Short mmCIF file of all heavy atoms in Angstrom, two decimals:
data_model
loop_
_atom_site.label_atom_id
_atom_site.label_comp_id
_atom_site.label_asym_id
_atom_site.label_seq_id
_atom_site.Cartn_x
_atom_site.Cartn_y
_atom_site.Cartn_z
N MET A 1 -1.22 -5.40 18.17
CA MET A 1 -0.99 -6.56 17.47
C MET A 1 -0.94 -6.24 15.98
O MET A 1 -1.87 -5.36 15.42
CB MET A 1 -2.18 -7.54 17.66
CG MET A 1 -1.97 -8.83 17.00
SD MET A 1 -3.31 -10.08 17.25
CE MET A 1 -3.40 -10.19 18.95
N THR A 2 0.01 -6.72 15.29
CA THR A 2 0.11 -6.36 13.82
C THR A 2 -1.09 -6.90 13.07
O THR A 2 -1.66 -7.95 13.48
CB THR A 2 1.46 -6.87 13.16
OG1 THR A 2 1.42 -8.30 13.24
CG2 THR A 2 2.66 -6.34 14.01
N LEU A 3 -1.26 -6.40 11.85
CA LEU A 3 -2.37 -6.89 11.06
C LEU A 3 -2.21 -8.38 10.76
O LEU A 3 -3.14 -9.24 10.84
CB LEU A 3 -2.45 -6.19 9.79
CG LEU A 3 -3.55 -6.68 8.78
CD1 LEU A 3 -4.93 -6.64 9.32
CD2 LEU A 3 -3.49 -5.83 7.53
N TRP A 4 -0.97 -8.88 10.45
CA TRP A 4 -0.74 -10.29 10.04
C TRP A 4 -1.06 -11.15 11.29
O TRP A 4 -1.56 -12.36 11.11
CB TRP A 4 0.62 -10.43 9.45
CG TRP A 4 0.63 -9.79 8.16
CD1 TRP A 4 1.37 -8.60 7.86
CD2 TRP A 4 -0.23 -9.92 6.98
NE1 TRP A 4 1.02 -8.17 6.64
CE2 TRP A 4 0.04 -8.95 6.09
CE3 TRP A 4 -1.27 -10.90 6.77
CZ2 TRP A 4 -0.65 -8.93 4.79
CZ3 TRP A 4 -1.93 -10.84 5.54
CH2 TRP A 4 -1.62 -9.87 4.54
N ARG A 5 -0.72 -10.73 12.38
CA ARG A 5 -0.98 -11.61 13.65
C ARG A 5 -2.55 -11.63 13.88
O ARG A 5 -3.05 -12.65 14.20
CB ARG A 5 -0.35 -10.98 14.88
CG ARG A 5 1.23 -11.30 14.93
CD ARG A 5 1.80 -10.75 16.14
NE ARG A 5 3.25 -10.82 16.02
CZ ARG A 5 4.01 -11.33 17.00
NH1 ARG A 5 3.52 -11.76 18.11
NH2 ARG A 5 5.33 -11.33 16.81
N GLN A 6 -3.21 -10.50 13.58
CA GLN A 6 -4.65 -10.49 13.63
C GLN A 6 -5.28 -11.45 12.70
O GLN A 6 -6.22 -12.18 12.97
CB GLN A 6 -5.14 -9.08 13.46
CG GLN A 6 -4.85 -8.19 14.54
CD GLN A 6 -5.32 -6.64 14.26
OE1 GLN A 6 -5.80 -6.43 13.07
NE2 GLN A 6 -5.15 -5.84 15.20
N VAL A 7 -4.71 -11.41 11.41
CA VAL A 7 -5.22 -12.44 10.37
C VAL A 7 -5.09 -13.75 10.77
O VAL A 7 -6.01 -14.57 10.74
CB VAL A 7 -4.59 -12.09 9.01
CG1 VAL A 7 -4.91 -13.18 7.99
CG2 VAL A 7 -5.02 -10.70 8.42
N LEU A 8 -3.91 -14.12 11.25
CA LEU A 8 -3.59 -15.58 11.70
C LEU A 8 -4.50 -15.89 12.90
O LEU A 8 -5.05 -17.01 12.90
CB LEU A 8 -2.15 -15.76 12.08
CG LEU A 8 -1.17 -15.77 10.90
CD1 LEU A 8 0.26 -15.70 11.48
CD2 LEU A 8 -1.46 -16.86 9.98
N ALA A 9 -4.77 -14.96 13.75
CA ALA A 9 -5.54 -15.26 14.96
C ALA A 9 -6.99 -15.50 14.50
O ALA A 9 -7.77 -16.35 14.96
CB ALA A 9 -5.44 -14.10 15.95
N ALA A 10 -7.43 -14.60 13.56
CA ALA A 10 -8.84 -14.60 13.10
C ALA A 10 -9.07 -15.96 12.33
O ALA A 10 -10.12 -16.56 12.47
CB ALA A 10 -9.06 -13.49 12.07
N LEU A 11 -8.11 -16.48 11.64
CA LEU A 11 -8.24 -17.65 10.91
C LEU A 11 -8.24 -18.90 11.76
O LEU A 11 -8.80 -19.99 11.44
CB LEU A 11 -7.09 -17.83 9.84
CG LEU A 11 -7.13 -16.94 8.64
CD1 LEU A 11 -5.85 -17.06 7.84
CD2 LEU A 11 -8.35 -17.13 7.78
N ASN A 12 -7.75 -18.78 12.97
CA ASN A 12 -7.61 -19.95 13.87
C ASN A 12 -8.48 -19.87 15.13
O ASN A 12 -8.45 -20.75 15.99
CB ASN A 12 -6.12 -20.08 14.33
CG ASN A 12 -5.28 -20.48 13.12
OD1 ASN A 12 -5.61 -21.51 12.50
ND2 ASN A 12 -4.30 -19.70 12.77
N ASP A 13 -9.26 -18.75 15.26
CA ASP A 13 -10.00 -18.54 16.48
C ASP A 13 -11.46 -18.98 16.33
O ASP A 13 -12.24 -18.26 15.64
CB ASP A 13 -9.95 -17.09 16.96
CG ASP A 13 -10.58 -16.85 18.31
OD1 ASP A 13 -11.23 -17.77 18.89
OD2 ASP A 13 -10.56 -15.69 18.75
N PRO A 14 -11.87 -20.18 16.85
CA PRO A 14 -13.31 -20.55 16.58
C PRO A 14 -14.32 -19.74 17.37
O PRO A 14 -15.49 -19.74 16.99
CB PRO A 14 -13.17 -22.03 17.10
CG PRO A 14 -12.12 -22.06 17.99
CD PRO A 14 -11.07 -21.10 17.56
N ALA A 15 -13.83 -18.99 18.36
CA ALA A 15 -14.79 -18.12 19.20
C ALA A 15 -15.15 -16.83 18.41
O ALA A 15 -16.12 -16.18 18.75
CB ALA A 15 -14.21 -17.81 20.47
N LEU A 16 -14.39 -16.48 17.36
CA LEU A 16 -14.55 -15.24 16.65
C LEU A 16 -15.73 -15.36 15.71
O LEU A 16 -15.92 -16.40 15.06
CB LEU A 16 -13.32 -14.92 15.83
CG LEU A 16 -13.18 -13.44 15.40
CD1 LEU A 16 -13.03 -12.52 16.49
CD2 LEU A 16 -11.94 -13.37 14.61
N ASP A 17 -16.70 -14.38 15.75
CA ASP A 17 -17.89 -14.46 14.86
C ASP A 17 -17.40 -14.25 13.40
O ASP A 17 -16.40 -13.62 13.04
CB ASP A 17 -19.02 -13.55 15.23
CG ASP A 17 -18.64 -12.09 15.09
OD1 ASP A 17 -18.22 -11.72 13.99
OD2 ASP A 17 -18.90 -11.34 16.01
N ASP A 18 -18.27 -14.78 12.44
CA ASP A 18 -17.85 -14.78 11.08
C ASP A 18 -17.66 -13.40 10.45
O ASP A 18 -16.69 -13.16 9.68
CB ASP A 18 -18.90 -15.51 10.22
CG ASP A 18 -18.95 -17.01 10.43
OD1 ASP A 18 -17.86 -17.54 10.90
OD2 ASP A 18 -19.91 -17.68 10.11
N ALA A 19 -18.48 -12.46 10.94
CA ALA A 19 -18.35 -11.08 10.33
C ALA A 19 -17.03 -10.45 10.80
O ALA A 19 -16.40 -9.82 9.97
CB ALA A 19 -19.55 -10.25 10.85
N GLU A 20 -16.61 -10.60 12.04
CA GLU A 20 -15.37 -10.02 12.48
C GLU A 20 -14.20 -10.74 11.83
O GLU A 20 -13.26 -10.14 11.36
CB GLU A 20 -15.24 -10.21 13.98
CG GLU A 20 -14.01 -9.49 14.59
CD GLU A 20 -13.91 -8.02 14.46
OE1 GLU A 20 -14.87 -7.45 14.07
OE2 GLU A 20 -12.86 -7.48 14.61
N ARG A 21 -14.28 -12.13 11.65
CA ARG A 21 -13.28 -12.84 10.92
C ARG A 21 -13.07 -12.27 9.49
O ARG A 21 -11.97 -12.04 9.04
CB ARG A 21 -13.56 -14.25 10.98
CG ARG A 21 -12.44 -15.09 10.22
CD ARG A 21 -12.82 -16.60 10.23
NE ARG A 21 -12.79 -17.18 11.63
CZ ARG A 21 -13.77 -17.48 12.42
NH1 ARG A 21 -14.94 -17.42 11.84
NH2 ARG A 21 -13.59 -17.85 13.61
N GLU A 22 -14.24 -12.19 8.76
CA GLU A 22 -14.19 -11.70 7.43
C GLU A 22 -13.55 -10.26 7.35
O GLU A 22 -12.75 -9.92 6.45
CB GLU A 22 -15.59 -11.66 6.82
CG GLU A 22 -16.11 -13.04 6.45
CD GLU A 22 -17.42 -13.05 5.93
OE1 GLU A 22 -18.05 -11.94 5.71
OE2 GLU A 22 -17.88 -14.21 5.66
N ARG A 23 -13.90 -9.36 8.30
CA ARG A 23 -13.42 -8.04 8.34
C ARG A 23 -11.89 -8.04 8.41
O ARG A 23 -11.22 -7.30 7.75
CB ARG A 23 -14.08 -7.19 9.42
CG ARG A 23 -13.69 -5.68 9.37
CD ARG A 23 -14.33 -4.96 10.62
NE ARG A 23 -13.66 -5.40 11.85
CZ ARG A 23 -12.41 -5.09 12.16
NH1 ARG A 23 -11.72 -4.29 11.43
NH2 ARG A 23 -11.97 -5.52 13.47
N ILE A 24 -11.41 -8.87 9.36
CA ILE A 24 -9.93 -8.82 9.58
C ILE A 24 -9.16 -9.45 8.46
O ILE A 24 -8.23 -8.85 7.97
CB ILE A 24 -9.66 -9.59 10.93
CG1 ILE A 24 -10.12 -8.88 12.13
CG2 ILE A 24 -8.14 -9.85 11.02
CD1 ILE A 24 -10.18 -9.64 13.34
N VAL A 25 -9.62 -10.56 7.88
CA VAL A 25 -9.01 -11.17 6.76
C VAL A 25 -9.11 -10.34 5.50
O VAL A 25 -8.15 -10.26 4.72
CB VAL A 25 -9.65 -12.66 6.59
CG1 VAL A 25 -9.04 -13.25 5.30
CG2 VAL A 25 -9.28 -13.45 7.80
N ALA A 26 -10.17 -9.62 5.35
CA ALA A 26 -10.38 -8.70 4.21
C ALA A 26 -9.30 -7.55 4.26
O ALA A 26 -8.74 -7.22 3.18
CB ALA A 26 -11.81 -8.11 4.11
N ARG A 27 -9.05 -7.07 5.48
CA ARG A 27 -8.02 -6.04 5.58
C ARG A 27 -6.71 -6.58 5.25
O ARG A 27 -5.91 -5.94 4.65
CB ARG A 27 -7.99 -5.47 7.01
CG ARG A 27 -9.11 -4.54 7.20
CD ARG A 27 -9.10 -3.92 8.71
NE ARG A 27 -7.74 -3.54 9.13
CZ ARG A 27 -7.28 -3.84 10.25
NH1 ARG A 27 -8.03 -4.50 11.15
NH2 ARG A 27 -6.06 -3.52 10.68
N GLY A 28 -6.44 -7.86 5.59
CA GLY A 28 -5.13 -8.47 5.20
C GLY A 28 -5.05 -8.64 3.76
O GLY A 28 -3.97 -8.41 3.15
N ALA A 29 -6.12 -9.01 3.10
CA ALA A 29 -6.09 -9.25 1.62
C ALA A 29 -5.96 -7.91 0.96
O ALA A 29 -5.22 -7.78 -0.06
CB ALA A 29 -7.50 -9.78 1.25
N ALA A 30 -6.48 -6.82 1.49
CA ALA A 30 -6.31 -5.50 0.91
C ALA A 30 -4.79 -5.06 0.99
O ALA A 30 -4.28 -4.47 0.11
CB ALA A 30 -7.20 -4.42 1.66
N GLN A 31 -4.22 -5.30 2.18
CA GLN A 31 -2.81 -4.95 2.35
C GLN A 31 -1.93 -5.78 1.38
O GLN A 31 -0.95 -5.22 0.80
CB GLN A 31 -2.43 -5.10 3.79
CG GLN A 31 -1.07 -4.58 4.01
CD GLN A 31 -0.63 -4.69 5.51
OE1 GLN A 31 -0.31 -5.69 6.08
NE2 GLN A 31 -0.75 -3.49 6.18
N LEU A 32 -2.23 -7.05 1.26
CA LEU A 32 -1.48 -7.86 0.34
C LEU A 32 -1.66 -7.44 -1.06
O LEU A 32 -0.65 -7.42 -1.80
CB LEU A 32 -1.77 -9.30 0.63
CG LEU A 32 -0.98 -10.34 -0.12
CD1 LEU A 32 0.55 -10.19 0.18
CD2 LEU A 32 -1.49 -11.77 0.36
N ALA A 33 -2.83 -7.13 -1.47
CA ALA A 33 -3.12 -6.62 -2.80
C ALA A 33 -2.40 -5.34 -3.04
O ALA A 33 -1.85 -5.07 -4.16
CB ALA A 33 -4.61 -6.43 -3.01
N ALA A 34 -2.24 -4.41 -2.12
CA ALA A 34 -1.60 -3.19 -2.23
C ALA A 34 -0.06 -3.44 -2.39
O ALA A 34 0.61 -2.84 -3.21
CB ALA A 34 -1.75 -2.33 -0.98
N HIS A 35 0.45 -4.41 -1.65
CA HIS A 35 1.85 -4.77 -1.72
C HIS A 35 2.18 -5.38 -3.14
O HIS A 35 3.28 -5.14 -3.65
CB HIS A 35 2.21 -5.78 -0.68
CG HIS A 35 3.64 -6.28 -0.73
ND1 HIS A 35 4.74 -5.46 -0.29
CD2 HIS A 35 4.18 -7.45 -1.16
CE1 HIS A 35 5.86 -6.16 -0.53
NE2 HIS A 35 5.51 -7.31 -1.01
N ARG A 36 1.22 -6.07 -3.65
CA ARG A 36 1.43 -6.73 -5.09
C ARG A 36 1.15 -5.79 -6.19
O ARG A 36 1.49 -6.15 -7.41
CB ARG A 36 0.58 -8.01 -5.08
CG ARG A 36 1.05 -9.04 -4.17
CD ARG A 36 0.17 -10.27 -4.32
NE ARG A 36 0.69 -11.33 -3.44
CZ ARG A 36 -0.05 -12.52 -3.27
NH1 ARG A 36 -1.16 -12.59 -3.79
NH2 ARG A 36 0.45 -13.42 -2.37
N ALA A 37 0.47 -4.68 -5.92
CA ALA A 37 0.10 -3.81 -7.04
C ALA A 37 1.37 -3.14 -7.66
O ALA A 37 2.36 -2.91 -6.95
CB ALA A 37 -0.80 -2.69 -6.52
N PRO A 38 1.36 -2.91 -8.94
CA PRO A 38 2.53 -2.25 -9.58
C PRO A 38 2.85 -0.92 -8.90
O PRO A 38 1.89 -0.30 -8.43
CB PRO A 38 2.10 -2.06 -11.04
CG PRO A 38 1.05 -3.08 -11.25
CD PRO A 38 0.36 -3.22 -9.97
N ALA A 39 4.06 -0.56 -8.89
CA ALA A 39 4.50 0.71 -8.27
C ALA A 39 3.66 1.94 -8.79
O ALA A 39 3.47 2.00 -10.01
CB ALA A 39 5.95 1.01 -8.53
N GLY A 40 3.21 2.73 -7.92
CA GLY A 40 2.37 3.89 -8.30
C GLY A 40 0.93 3.60 -8.56
O GLY A 40 0.22 4.51 -8.88
N GLN A 41 0.49 2.39 -8.46
CA GLN A 41 -0.84 2.05 -8.70
C GLN A 41 -1.59 1.57 -7.38
O GLN A 41 -0.91 0.97 -6.60
CB GLN A 41 -1.03 0.99 -9.72
CG GLN A 41 -0.59 1.46 -11.14
CD GLN A 41 -0.95 0.36 -12.17
OE1 GLN A 41 -1.64 -0.60 -11.93
NE2 GLN A 41 -0.26 0.52 -13.33
N GLN A 42 -2.76 1.93 -7.22
CA GLN A 42 -3.58 1.47 -6.05
C GLN A 42 -4.24 0.19 -6.43
O GLN A 42 -4.62 -0.13 -7.58
CB GLN A 42 -4.65 2.52 -5.70
CG GLN A 42 -4.13 3.84 -5.26
CD GLN A 42 -3.37 3.74 -4.01
OE1 GLN A 42 -3.76 3.04 -3.09
NE2 GLN A 42 -2.22 4.39 -3.90
N PRO A 43 -4.38 -0.71 -5.43
CA PRO A 43 -5.09 -2.01 -5.76
C PRO A 43 -6.54 -1.76 -6.00
O PRO A 43 -7.08 -0.79 -5.41
CB PRO A 43 -4.90 -2.80 -4.45
CG PRO A 43 -4.69 -1.72 -3.35
CD PRO A 43 -3.99 -0.60 -4.05
N THR A 44 -7.14 -2.55 -6.84
CA THR A 44 -8.58 -2.53 -7.08
C THR A 44 -9.36 -3.40 -6.15
O THR A 44 -8.77 -4.38 -5.57
CB THR A 44 -8.77 -2.98 -8.53
OG1 THR A 44 -8.49 -4.37 -8.66
CG2 THR A 44 -8.03 -2.10 -9.58
N PRO A 45 -10.60 -3.15 -6.03
CA PRO A 45 -11.44 -4.11 -5.24
C PRO A 45 -11.34 -5.49 -5.86
O PRO A 45 -11.39 -6.48 -5.09
CB PRO A 45 -12.86 -3.48 -5.33
CG PRO A 45 -12.61 -2.03 -5.59
CD PRO A 45 -11.42 -2.01 -6.42
N GLU A 46 -11.32 -5.61 -7.13
CA GLU A 46 -11.21 -6.96 -7.75
C GLU A 46 -9.89 -7.62 -7.35
O GLU A 46 -9.95 -8.88 -7.14
CB GLU A 46 -11.30 -6.85 -9.27
CG GLU A 46 -12.70 -6.40 -9.73
CD GLU A 46 -12.94 -4.91 -9.65
OE1 GLU A 46 -12.02 -4.07 -9.37
OE2 GLU A 46 -14.15 -4.52 -9.74
N ALA A 47 -8.81 -6.90 -7.24
CA ALA A 47 -7.60 -7.45 -6.73
C ALA A 47 -7.70 -8.00 -5.25
O ALA A 47 -7.21 -9.11 -4.96
CB ALA A 47 -6.39 -6.51 -6.93
N VAL A 48 -8.33 -7.19 -4.48
CA VAL A 48 -8.53 -7.60 -3.14
C VAL A 48 -9.39 -8.88 -3.05
O VAL A 48 -9.13 -9.79 -2.28
CB VAL A 48 -9.20 -6.46 -2.25
CG1 VAL A 48 -9.53 -6.94 -0.88
CG2 VAL A 48 -8.33 -5.25 -2.28
N MET A 49 -10.44 -8.92 -3.85
CA MET A 49 -11.27 -10.11 -3.90
C MET A 49 -10.53 -11.35 -4.33
O MET A 49 -10.69 -12.43 -3.84
CB MET A 49 -12.56 -9.83 -4.91
CG MET A 49 -13.40 -8.77 -4.25
SD MET A 49 -14.65 -8.10 -5.49
CE MET A 49 -15.38 -9.54 -6.12
N ALA A 50 -9.67 -11.21 -5.34
CA ALA A 50 -8.85 -12.28 -5.82
C ALA A 50 -7.89 -12.82 -4.75
O ALA A 50 -7.73 -13.97 -4.55
CB ALA A 50 -8.08 -11.88 -7.11
N VAL A 51 -7.19 -11.88 -4.06
CA VAL A 51 -6.34 -12.18 -2.97
C VAL A 51 -6.99 -12.91 -1.90
O VAL A 51 -6.53 -14.02 -1.46
CB VAL A 51 -5.46 -11.04 -2.49
CG1 VAL A 51 -4.79 -11.32 -1.18
CG2 VAL A 51 -4.56 -10.45 -3.55
N ALA A 52 -8.19 -12.40 -1.56
CA ALA A 52 -8.94 -13.07 -0.44
C ALA A 52 -9.30 -14.50 -0.82
O ALA A 52 -9.20 -15.38 0.05
CB ALA A 52 -10.17 -12.17 -0.09
N LEU A 53 -9.72 -14.67 -2.05
CA LEU A 53 -10.10 -15.98 -2.46
C LEU A 53 -8.89 -16.96 -2.57
O LEU A 53 -8.95 -18.08 -1.98
CB LEU A 53 -10.83 -15.96 -3.84
CG LEU A 53 -11.30 -17.29 -4.41
CD1 LEU A 53 -12.31 -17.98 -3.49
CD2 LEU A 53 -11.89 -17.10 -5.77
N HIS A 54 -7.86 -16.62 -3.21
CA HIS A 54 -6.79 -17.44 -3.50
C HIS A 54 -5.82 -17.68 -2.28
O HIS A 54 -5.28 -18.69 -2.22
CB HIS A 54 -6.00 -16.93 -4.73
CG HIS A 54 -6.74 -16.91 -6.05
ND1 HIS A 54 -7.20 -18.07 -6.59
CD2 HIS A 54 -7.18 -15.93 -6.70
CE1 HIS A 54 -7.83 -17.76 -7.63
NE2 HIS A 54 -7.95 -16.48 -7.78
N GLU A 55 -5.66 -16.71 -1.45
CA GLU A 55 -4.75 -16.78 -0.31
C GLU A 55 -5.41 -17.21 0.95
O GLU A 55 -4.79 -17.84 1.82
CB GLU A 55 -4.03 -15.43 -0.15
CG GLU A 55 -3.19 -14.95 -1.33
CD GLU A 55 -2.03 -15.88 -1.65
OE1 GLU A 55 -1.60 -16.61 -0.75
OE2 GLU A 55 -1.58 -15.85 -2.79
N PHE A 56 -6.71 -16.74 1.12
CA PHE A 56 -7.37 -17.04 2.44
C PHE A 56 -8.68 -17.90 2.22
O PHE A 56 -9.34 -18.13 3.28
CB PHE A 56 -7.67 -15.72 3.12
CG PHE A 56 -6.49 -14.87 3.33
CD1 PHE A 56 -6.37 -13.67 2.69
CD2 PHE A 56 -5.46 -15.26 4.19
CE1 PHE A 56 -5.22 -12.87 2.87
CE2 PHE A 56 -4.38 -14.47 4.38
CZ PHE A 56 -4.28 -13.24 3.80
N ALA A 57 -8.97 -18.25 1.02
CA ALA A 57 -10.27 -19.08 0.73
C ALA A 57 -11.54 -18.31 1.32
O ALA A 57 -12.36 -18.90 1.90
CB ALA A 57 -10.14 -20.43 1.35
N LEU A 58 -11.51 -16.95 1.11
CA LEU A 58 -12.58 -16.16 1.59
C LEU A 58 -13.16 -15.53 0.39
O LEU A 58 -12.52 -14.80 -0.34
CB LEU A 58 -12.02 -15.08 2.56
CG LEU A 58 -13.02 -14.06 3.08
CD1 LEU A 58 -14.16 -14.75 3.96
CD2 LEU A 58 -12.30 -13.03 3.93
N VAL A 59 -14.43 -15.61 0.21
CA VAL A 59 -15.17 -14.92 -0.88
C VAL A 59 -15.71 -13.56 -0.41
O VAL A 59 -16.53 -13.51 0.59
CB VAL A 59 -16.30 -15.77 -1.38
CG1 VAL A 59 -17.10 -15.05 -2.48
CG2 VAL A 59 -15.80 -17.12 -1.97
N LEU A 60 -15.18 -12.47 -1.01
CA LEU A 60 -15.70 -11.16 -0.64
C LEU A 60 -16.49 -10.65 -1.80
O LEU A 60 -16.28 -10.88 -2.91
CB LEU A 60 -14.51 -10.26 -0.45
CG LEU A 60 -13.56 -10.52 0.68
CD1 LEU A 60 -12.40 -9.51 0.67
CD2 LEU A 60 -14.21 -10.53 2.07
N ASP A 61 -17.44 -9.76 -1.39
CA ASP A 61 -18.16 -9.04 -2.47
C ASP A 61 -17.44 -7.62 -2.62
O ASP A 61 -16.52 -7.33 -1.83
CB ASP A 61 -19.63 -8.82 -2.21
CG ASP A 61 -20.04 -7.94 -0.92
OD1 ASP A 61 -19.18 -7.08 -0.66
OD2 ASP A 61 -20.96 -8.31 -0.32
N VAL A 62 -17.84 -6.94 -3.67
CA VAL A 62 -17.12 -5.75 -4.00
C VAL A 62 -17.16 -4.66 -2.88
O VAL A 62 -16.22 -3.93 -2.69
CB VAL A 62 -17.58 -5.21 -5.39
CG1 VAL A 62 -18.92 -4.61 -5.30
CG2 VAL A 62 -16.55 -4.20 -5.94
N ASP A 63 -18.36 -4.65 -2.20
CA ASP A 63 -18.48 -3.67 -1.16
C ASP A 63 -17.50 -3.97 0.04
O ASP A 63 -16.92 -3.06 0.59
CB ASP A 63 -19.87 -3.56 -0.62
CG ASP A 63 -20.83 -2.92 -1.60
OD1 ASP A 63 -20.44 -2.14 -2.37
OD2 ASP A 63 -22.02 -3.33 -1.65
N GLN A 64 -17.42 -5.25 0.38
CA GLN A 64 -16.45 -5.65 1.47
C GLN A 64 -15.04 -5.33 1.01
O GLN A 64 -14.23 -4.87 1.88
CB GLN A 64 -16.60 -7.20 1.69
CG GLN A 64 -17.89 -7.55 2.40
CD GLN A 64 -17.99 -9.11 2.43
OE1 GLN A 64 -17.87 -9.74 1.40
NE2 GLN A 64 -18.25 -9.64 3.59
N ALA A 65 -14.65 -5.55 -0.29
CA ALA A 65 -13.34 -5.24 -0.77
C ALA A 65 -13.07 -3.81 -0.62
O ALA A 65 -11.98 -3.38 -0.29
CB ALA A 65 -13.16 -5.77 -2.17
N ARG A 66 -14.05 -2.97 -1.08
CA ARG A 66 -13.80 -1.48 -0.99
C ARG A 66 -13.62 -1.02 0.43
O ARG A 66 -12.81 -0.11 0.77
CB ARG A 66 -15.05 -0.77 -1.66
CG ARG A 66 -15.06 -0.80 -3.16
CD ARG A 66 -16.27 -0.01 -3.68
NE ARG A 66 -16.26 -0.19 -5.12
CZ ARG A 66 -17.41 -0.49 -5.80
NH1 ARG A 66 -18.57 -0.64 -5.12
NH2 ARG A 66 -17.42 -0.64 -7.05
N THR A 67 -14.50 -1.59 1.29
CA THR A 67 -14.35 -1.19 2.77
C THR A 67 -12.94 -1.55 3.30
O THR A 67 -12.29 -0.82 3.96
CB THR A 67 -15.49 -1.89 3.53
OG1 THR A 67 -16.72 -1.44 3.11
CG2 THR A 67 -15.31 -1.62 5.06
N ALA A 68 -12.51 -2.81 2.94
CA ALA A 68 -11.19 -3.24 3.36
C ALA A 68 -10.07 -2.29 2.85
O ALA A 68 -9.17 -1.99 3.56
CB ALA A 68 -10.95 -4.70 2.94
N LEU A 69 -10.21 -1.82 1.58
CA LEU A 69 -9.22 -0.90 1.08
C LEU A 69 -9.26 0.40 1.81
O LEU A 69 -8.11 0.89 2.09
CB LEU A 69 -9.49 -0.63 -0.52
CG LEU A 69 -9.12 -1.80 -1.45
CD1 LEU A 69 -9.64 -1.45 -2.81
CD2 LEU A 69 -7.67 -1.85 -1.41
N ARG A 70 -10.37 0.95 2.15
CA ARG A 70 -10.42 2.17 2.88
C ARG A 70 -9.83 1.91 4.28
O ARG A 70 -9.13 2.80 4.78
CB ARG A 70 -11.94 2.60 3.05
CG ARG A 70 -12.53 3.20 1.78
CD ARG A 70 -13.75 3.98 2.11
NE ARG A 70 -14.81 3.07 2.55
CZ ARG A 70 -15.61 2.46 1.83
NH1 ARG A 70 -15.64 2.51 0.52
NH2 ARG A 70 -16.53 1.65 2.40
N GLN A 71 -10.07 0.83 4.92
CA GLN A 71 -9.64 0.61 6.30
C GLN A 71 -8.11 0.29 6.30
O GLN A 71 -7.47 0.46 7.32
CB GLN A 71 -10.36 -0.58 6.92
CG GLN A 71 -11.85 -0.30 7.22
CD GLN A 71 -12.57 -1.38 7.76
OE1 GLN A 71 -12.19 -2.55 7.69
NE2 GLN A 71 -13.72 -1.17 8.35
N SER A 72 -7.53 -0.14 5.22
CA SER A 72 -6.19 -0.62 5.26
C SER A 72 -5.21 0.52 5.02
O SER A 72 -4.04 0.46 5.21
CB SER A 72 -5.92 -1.58 4.06
OG SER A 72 -6.04 -1.03 2.84
N GLY A 73 -5.79 1.68 4.68
CA GLY A 73 -4.99 2.91 4.64
C GLY A 73 -4.15 3.00 3.31
O GLY A 73 -4.42 2.24 2.34
N PRO A 74 -3.21 3.97 3.24
CA PRO A 74 -2.50 4.12 2.00
C PRO A 74 -1.66 2.89 1.70
O PRO A 74 -1.14 2.18 2.58
CB PRO A 74 -1.45 5.26 2.42
CG PRO A 74 -1.99 5.93 3.60
CD PRO A 74 -2.82 4.85 4.37
N ALA A 75 -1.57 2.69 0.38
CA ALA A 75 -0.90 1.42 -0.05
C ALA A 75 0.69 1.55 0.17
O ALA A 75 1.31 0.59 0.49
CB ALA A 75 -1.16 1.17 -1.56
N ARG A 76 1.13 2.69 -0.09
CA ARG A 76 2.65 2.89 0.05
C ARG A 76 2.95 4.24 0.64
O ARG A 76 2.22 5.24 0.41
CB ARG A 76 3.26 2.75 -1.40
CG ARG A 76 3.12 1.42 -1.93
CD ARG A 76 3.95 1.31 -3.25
NE ARG A 76 3.97 -0.06 -3.62
CZ ARG A 76 3.07 -0.65 -4.37
NH1 ARG A 76 1.95 -0.03 -4.75
NH2 ARG A 76 3.20 -1.95 -4.69
N GLY A 77 4.07 4.36 1.24
CA GLY A 77 4.36 5.65 1.88
C GLY A 77 5.28 6.55 1.12
O GLY A 77 5.84 6.29 0.05
#
């Protein structure tokens, strides 16, 4: 399943626990922050936190954002 399908499922699945939902949505926010970062620049944890808040109404702390960045892999190929 693609990350975006996982994000949509996580946002709509009441059976999913909060920690797992946050982990999946945080990875989506990290990927979106990477896509929006200027060419040649890596997204910052602060950018991931902003995307999570504004796009998904999810408040992340800096450690969650860093973890999501590590889990999302390289920003560009």
